[in-house]
């Protein structure tokens, strides 16, 4: 099975940024739903000249949190 894994980060000013870990595919969106739709469009555009193959897309949300110790 073809699986593309995207690392997704939430931007400080809002929105999401998604970058594929195995191919040169990246996109963003103002909301989670918009970003999901943009990822699907970016994958279709990236593979436009190849035969249609079912690809599984995994979105891995990375949350970077900094804690201050007392």
């Amino acid at each position: 099975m073809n699986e593309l894994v995207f690392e997704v980060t939430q931007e400080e000013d809002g929105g999401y940024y998604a970058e594929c870990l195995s191919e040169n595919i990246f996109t963003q969106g103002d909301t989670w739903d918009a970003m999901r739709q943009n990822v699907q469009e970016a994958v279709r555009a990236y593979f436009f000249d190849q035969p249609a193959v079912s690809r599984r897309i995994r979105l891995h949300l990375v949350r970077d949190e900094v804690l201050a110790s007392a």
Side-chain angles (χ1 to χ4, degrees):
M1 177 182 296
N2 271 338
E3 180 174 80
L4 298 172
V5 178
F6 282 79
E7 183 176 272
V8 181
T9 55
Q10 189 168 12
E11 300 293 314
E12 286 184 25
D13 59 347
Y16 296 88
Y17 175 78
E19 182 175 359
C20 184
L21 300 179
S22 60
E23 303 291 344
N24 192 23
I25 308 171
F26 50 90
T27 190
Q28 62 186 27
D30 290 334
T31 64
W32 182 261
D33 288 335
M35 185 271 309
R36 289 177 66 213
Q37 184 176 5
N38 291 345
V39 164
Q40 291 174 319
E41 287 179 16
V43 168
R44 281 193 300 272
Y46 185 81
F47 294 106
F48 79 96
D49 61 345
Q50 296 182 17
V53 174
S54 178
R55 290 182 177 83
R56 185 174 171 175
I57 299 171
R58 181 181 304 270
L59 303 177
H60 177 70
L61 180 61
V62 177
R63 182 175 174 158
D64 188 25
E65 188 171 343
V66 178
L67 302 175
S69 62

